[in-house]
Amino acid sequence: MTYPDHSLWVYLSNRALFTQRPPVCIYFIFDEDCRKGSLKEASKILKIAFVGDHLPRKCGIATFTSDLLGAVAAAYPHCQCFAVSVNDIPGGYEYPDVVRFEIEEQDLSSYLRAADFLNISNVDIVCLQHEFGIFGGPAGGHILALLRELRMPVVTTLHTVLQKPQPDQLRVMDGLISLSTRLVVMAERGRQMLEQIYHAPPAKIDLILHGIPDVGFVDPTYFKDQFGVEGKVVLLTFGLLSPNKGIEYVLNALPGILKEFPDVVYIVLGATHPNELREHGEAYRLSLEILAKKNKVDKNVIFYNQFVDLENLTEFIGAADLYITPYLNEAQITSGTLAYAFGAGKAVVSTPYWHATELLGDERGVLVPFADARAITREVVGLLRDDTRRNAIRKNAYKIGRDMIWSNGAQLYMHSFECSRLQVAAPSRKSLATKTLDQKPRELPVMNLSHLWRMTDSTGLYQHANFSIPNFSEGHCTDDNARAFILAVLLDELGEDPESMRTLATTSAAFLNHAFDFKTKRFHNHLSFDRRWVDDQGSEDCQGRALWALGIGVGRSPFRSFQMMAGQLFALALASLTSFTSPRAWAFGLIGIHEYLRRLNGDSLVTQIRETLTCRLMKLFDAVAKPDWQWFEEELSYDNAKLAHALILSGQATAQQSVLERGLKALRWLTELQMSEQGHFRPIGSNGFYRRGGVRATFDQQPIEAQATVSACLEAYRATSEIWWYERAQIAFDWFVGANDLGLEVYSPETGGCRDGLHVDRVNSNQGAESTLAFLLSLAEMRSAQNILTSFKKPIRIQE
């Protein structure tokens, strides 16, 4: 057997070193066709697009993408390399010219535009840098929508390979494996997990170690005067700062180290991670500074709170006598900071996360248990005492590091690109042909919240409007503020302006908190303009809607303050739910319970109440339903679909097929009843409703009925995967935009509000809160379902 050339042989030999396997056993990293020729031959690939983050965004993926692109471009000057970068903030970044296209993280349409751009640009290879946290959608699933549209080979570098993925993460990984021509991992453990957990074809996987800059093997003393630490023993940790880095354990180890080596200085280099900074500010860094002072080591600790460029970083690494990675998460398959320090020939003390375990074995570094300050003290002191061992570790690391330098990595990546080109000899995925209407999801209206903001003051949402002007005299109500809180959480999940959504959620949550009477354990509903409650307590339906909103706050809000406040109110308000007689209150409560149990599914009391209410709805249906009237009550009135919706959710969550089937049967009967002869949605009119055996009211048609039907049909779609339910949801949604008995728009694109309903001869021109929220909630749910359908080509359930 022969190998393509020396560089690949060296790489494979190193791989054998890490895995204790002979090179012949692992050569099949590349398939038969890819063995022909040398890595140094002139490549036929002329244009490569690197998709991921890019500097100046401050994250490890951005640094990796920038370095890899630069290395490939330098090694293959005939090849045009450019980046497609993902923005996580409005307005993006001041990118260099090499970034040719920008994707907005949460905007699915921008992923599809990026695919069009790549196809039109005649790109030969797309090199995707994948990390779950940098793409939008469930578990970053939006990136799959882009990959599905590409017509060139895709080589995906997996920066994270999870041992125990959540169901939505597993779906994304399955999609990546299917849509990628080749997969690159940076550790042998990653290759094994891809095969054993994700069942990726072994011949599709390339193992290419994390790239590093090419630096000399120098005495740390050379660099120390640049940082004012000459004559000191320097310990270094670098990288974006966040609580999972475990820096506190090094600070707790320092007093023991300083007893024997009082000249030690510990440098913590790196800015706080942008996500940590947005959510918690500098709380973690401040806690470390306080701990250093408490341990009386503050004179021996230096924090450099900055994101340094490569030149400065290599100088900091050069000044270090020991490098420490005290990370707390074992399931880290790749660490760029570890690779950089290791490749520069530093003696490394690390916790045994996966990448460190693989890289630092056989006297190439030292491993210590997680969260063990004493072990850090022992091993650091041991290495500082033993110059011979420390220098041997340094040499071992530096020797292997020569094959990790970016110029070698660029050749290995180009070889993977060439293999992928041979595997996909001609564009076979997608043509550039424009899709017909039946081949793509319906284009939804733009999310316009301007009317919602006009209807909201510092107290909450006004319930009524005169045309598009808030009607102060009618005040506020709990019903609408509960709906507004639900909307804020849903839109936050969809990536709408986070600050605005938090403001809306805060205002609505504060209203719910104020509305709750701690003596009666019930919610008020109506608050006058002069801020007085005008009722002793709200209706049962009002209590149910409030519980629904609180359940959403517990189960789906990302903010701890909302989770805590909602959880406390939910526990207090829930007890009265079983005393209610309104089936709609039961249904709203069941939906709230479902949301609550997403996060707290061990709550036995809440689970018991779900069982009680589910049984009540089942008994009601069985007592009333007949072959010609598949319903829970003798009358169809308002918010009808919520009753079936509650059973579908509860049946699916509890694996009770009979409950699920009753819900689906009732909803199917209702949706068919509400279908006009012309095929558009015709809800039960509120001017008389529809009693069994009586005359059905056709008008006034209310937006709340369309919203309830959209939501219930989408839940049925997620439960069954039957496209019929998605189509029924779309039909109900289209009622808002003119597919109704009058052929008139109920939603107003001009104002962003929704008119209060259809009369027999006109629309009701008032744009109140209930109607506007009904449209916005429907739009949010349709957009979420459409995003999932586009990315995964099938429905998925939001996981418990």
Side-chain angles (χ1 to χ4, degrees):
M1 176 177 289
T2 58
Y3 293 93
D5 74 6
H6 176 70
S7 64
L8 183 57
W9 165 247
V10 170
Y11 157 68
L12 291 167
S13 298
N14 286 339
R15 182 175 175 190
L17 178 65
F18 293 139
T19 61
Q20 289 77 50
R21 297 182 181 184
V24 68
C25 294
I26 49 82
Y27 178 71
F28 294 99
I29 183 171
F30 296 122
D31 63 24
E32 183 69 33
D33 289 337
C34 299
R35 299 182 195 175
K36 301 171 183 177
S38 169
L39 292 177
K40 296 178 181 177
E41 286 182 358
S43 173
K44 297 179 181 179
I45 295 172
L46 300 179
K47 188 178 288 189
I48 306 171
F50 293 82
V51 179
D53 297 341
H54 197 283
L55 296 174
R57 181 171 173 176
K58 297 177 181 178
C59 76
I61 303 298
T63 301
F64 185 95
T65 306
S66 304
D67 289 345
L68 176 59
L69 188 158
V72 172
Y76 300 91
H78 72 281
C79 185
Q80 180 184 350
C81 298
F82 67 88
V84 173
S85 189
V86 181
N87 293 329
D88 63 332
I89 58 173
Y93 299 88
E94 292 294 328
Y95 290 115
D97 291 342
V98 74
V99 176
R100 292 284 311 281
F101 197 94
E102 299 175 39
I103 296 172
E104 301 307 316
E105 180 182 313
Q106 297 296 338
D107 180 9
L108 179 65
S109 65
S110 72
Y111 290 81
L112 300 178
R113 291 193 298 271
D116 287 343
F117 172 79
L118 292 168
N119 287 332
I120 292 170
S121 299
N122 290 320
V123 170
D124 295 309
I125 300 289
V126 165
C127 183
L128 172 67
Q129 305 306 310
H130 180 264
E131 179 65 83
F132 284 106
I134 69 173
F135 301 112
H142 283 0
I143 191 61
L144 300 182
L146 183 154
L147 297 183
R148 289 183 195 283
E149 299 301 315
L150 296 181
R151 62 188 187 98
M152 71 289 293
V154 176
V155 176
T156 297
T157 303
L158 298 169
H159 290 260
T160 293
V161 182
L162 298 172
Q163 187 174 36
K164 297 180 179 179
Q166 296 296 319
D168 52 355
Q169 293 168 332
L170 182 59
R171 290 187 187 92
V172 170
M173 284 294 290
D174 287 344
L176 288 171
I177 292 168
S178 172
L179 295 168
S180 300
T181 317
R182 301 197 70 77
L183 303 164
V184 175
V185 291
M186 292 179 259
E188 171 65 16
R189 179 69 173 262
R191 184 195 63 78
Q192 294 172 1
M193 290 167 62
L194 274 184
E195 292 182 22
Q196 296 167 8
I197 298 173
Y198 300 94
H199 309 294
K204 200 174 191 176
I205 306 169
D206 298 337
L207 196 162
I208 303 176
L209 302 182
H210 195 296
I212 61 170
D214 189 5
V215 297
F217 188 78
V218 296
D219 188 326
T221 305
Y222 181 82
F223 290 102
K224 289 182 179 181
D225 60 334
Q226 298 183 43
F227 307 110
V229 291
E230 58 271 23
K232 303 289 185 180
V233 177
V234 177
L235 313 181
L236 174 68
T237 297
F238 76 87
L240 294 172
L241 206 60
S242 60
N244 64 345
K245 299 296 185 183
I247 306 298
E248 59 270 26
Y249 293 98
V250 184
L251 296 179
N252 285 331
L254 272 181
I257 297 170
L258 291 170
K259 284 181 182 179
E260 189 161 346
F261 296 95
D263 290 332
V264 161
V265 172
Y266 180 40
I267 297 177
V268 181
L269 172 64
T272 300
H273 196 289
N275 293 341
E276 175 73 14
L277 198 60
R278 280 194 291 269
E279 295 180 16
H280 304 291
E282 293 286 7
Y284 180 58
R285 185 183 298 274
L286 180 60
S287 73
L288 295 177
E289 293 177 359
I290 292 171
L291 179 60
K293 192 171 185 65
K294 176 184 175 183
N295 289 349
K296 298 180 180 179
V297 298
D298 47 316
K299 293 182 180 179
N300 301 82
V301 178
I302 300 172
F303 282 98
Y304 280 90
N305 185 6
Q306 54 185 302
F307 188 84
V308 296
D309 59 25
L310 179 60
E311 181 180 356
N312 286 330
L313 175 59
T314 56
E315 291 173 351
F316 270 106
I317 294 173
D321 294 283
L322 291 179
Y323 182 72
I324 305 178
T325 57
Y327 302 163
L328 302 178
N329 179 18
E330 180 189 29
Q332 184 164 344
I333 202 70
T334 305
S335 169
T337 61
L338 173 63
Y340 276 35
F342 177 89
K346 294 295 144 180
V348 179
V349 176
S350 176
T351 50
Y353 55 91
W354 292 337
H355 192 198
T357 299
E358 192 165 309
L359 199 60
L360 302 181
D362 295 335
E363 283 298 301
R364 297 188 296 271
V366 176
L367 298 174
V368 296
F370 292 104
D372 191 336
R374 290 184 179 180
I376 295 173
T377 300
R378 181 182 67 249
E379 296 300 337
V380 168
V381 168
L383 285 175
L384 293 179
R385 285 176 183 165
D386 192 342
D387 291 346
T388 301
R389 183 186 178 212
R390 187 176 72 253
N391 287 326
I393 288 173
R394 289 190 60 204
K395 290 177 181 177
N396 290 340
Y398 187 78
K399 181 179 179 181
I400 291 176
R402 296 314 83 217
D403 295 309
M404 296 166 60
I405 61 175
W406 278 116
S407 58
N408 286 344
Q411 290 188 42
L412 291 168
Y413 266 95
M414 183 57 77
H415 193 76
S416 185
F417 298 160
E418 290 286 5
C419 288
S420 67
R421 184 181 63 83
L422 292 172
Q423 288 174 250
V424 184
S428 60
R429 289 188 168 202
K430 299 287 180 182
S431 70
L432 291 177
T434 303
K435 293 181 178 180
T436 58
L437 291 177
D438 67 324
Q439 294 176 314
K440 61 182 181 180
R442 186 85 53 82
E443 187 169 343
L444 297 171
V446 173
M447 186 68 69
N448 181 356
L449 302 178
S450 55
H451 184 62
L452 185 71
W453 290 119
R454 286 193 296 270
M455 292 286 289
T456 306
D457 67 4
S458 60
T459 298
L461 195 67
Y462 287 104
Q463 63 176 324
H464 292 301
N466 292 322
F467 299 99
S468 62
I469 301 168
N471 186 344
F472 290 171
S473 64
E474 298 291 342
H476 308 75
C477 72
T478 296
D479 281 328
D480 291 333
N481 281 278
R483 294 183 180 108
F485 181 79
I486 293 168
L487 177 68
V489 174
L490 296 185
L491 291 183
D492 186 66
E493 290 179 347
L494 286 169
E496 283 291 322
D497 179 16
E499 194 61 35
S500 296
M501 291 308 98
R502 189 163 189 178
T503 298
L504 178 60
T506 299
T507 302
S508 305
F511 188 96
L512 292 174
N513 188 59
H514 180 56
F516 188 70
D517 187 329
F518 286 85
K519 293 180 180 179
T520 65
K521 304 294 191 295
R522 297 282 293 269
F523 289 90
H524 294 285
N525 194 13
H526 296 291
L527 184 71
S528 66
F529 182 68
D530 60 359
R531 306 302 188 264
R532 290 181 300 106
W533 293 111
V534 296
D535 55 13
D536 293 328
Q537 62 185 26
S539 67
E540 291 184 358
D541 288 3
C542 170
Q543 312 304 310
R545 283 195 187 91
L547 282 166
W548 175 13
L550 296 173
I552 285 271
V554 174
R556 292 171 71 171
S557 173
F559 300 108
R560 188 67 174 165
S561 57
F562 291 144
Q563 296 169 18
M564 295 295 292
M565 186 279 291
Q568 291 169 5
L569 285 185
F570 188 90
L572 292 170
L574 184 64
S576 62
L577 184 59
T578 55
S579 68
F580 295 166
T581 60
S582 166
R584 279 160 188 76
W586 302 341
F588 298 145
L590 279 170
I591 296 171
I593 286 171
H594 177 83
E595 300 292 352
Y596 174 92
L597 291 175
R598 292 184 193 278
R599 192 178 302 277
L600 301 175
N601 60 5
D603 192 324
S604 57
L605 175 61
V606 175
T607 300
Q608 183 179 352
I609 293 175
R610 173 168 66 181
E611 293 173 0
T612 298
L613 297 178
T614 300
C615 286
R616 287 187 186 179
L617 281 178
M618 289 285 285
K619 288 179 180 178
L620 201 61
F621 183 86
D622 290 342
V624 175
K626 296 291 188 294
D628 65 337
W629 189 266
Q630 297 287 317
W631 200 242
F632 304 83
E633 300 171 299
E634 297 287 349
E635 183 179 52
L636 287 165
S637 53
Y638 64 94
D639 231 348
N640 292 302
K642 278 289 179 278
L643 301 178
H645 187 169
L647 282 191
I648 293 169
L649 267 181
S650 297
Q652 185 78 357
T654 61
Q656 296 183 73
Q657 190 64 24
S658 61
V659 175
L660 174 61
E661 288 175 356
R662 294 286 204 295
L664 293 171
K665 179 187 291 187
L667 184 60
R668 185 177 293 272
W669 178 80
L670 179 66
T671 54
E672 290 175 348
L673 183 71
Q674 294 185 130
M675 183 74 72
S676 72
E677 298 82 358
Q678 293 76 31
H680 60 254
F681 180 67
R682 177 184 287 159
I684 304 299
S686 63
N687 189 15
F689 298 126
Y690 181 24
R691 190 162 189 84
R692 186 198 294 199
V695 177
R696 168 180 171 167
T698 303
F699 296 98
D700 297 335
Q701 296 178 16
Q702 300 293 309
I704 193 174
E705 297 306 316
Q707 191 276 320
T709 304
V710 167
S711 186
C713 287
L714 289 177
E715 192 57 51
Y717 175 52
R718 287 187 287 269
T720 66
S721 299
E722 294 178 17
I723 196 67
W724 187 89
W725 289 113
Y726 182 86
E727 292 168 348
R728 292 306 177 273
Q730 182 72 65
I731 290 170
F733 180 81
D734 290 344
W735 178 89
F736 288 104
V737 293
N740 52 53
D741 281 331
L742 300 186
L744 298 175
E745 282 188 324
V746 185
Y747 165 63
S748 170
E750 179 184 3
T751 66
C754 181
R755 301 173 179 93
D756 282 350
L758 283 182
H759 296 309
V760 67
D761 58 344
R762 68 189 188 283
V763 294
N764 183 333
S765 296
N766 296 330
Q767 298 173 25
E770 179 185 287
S771 302
T772 296
L773 286 164
F775 171 76
L776 293 174
L777 285 165
S778 297
L779 178 56
E781 291 200 65
M782 286 298 297
R783 181 186 288 182
S784 178
Q786 194 176 94
N787 287 353
I788 292 168
L789 185 63
T790 303
S791 297
F792 294 94
K793 296 302 181 185
K794 58 183 179 180
I796 65 171
R797 295 185 60 79
I798 299 174
Q799 295 305 311
E800 301 290 326

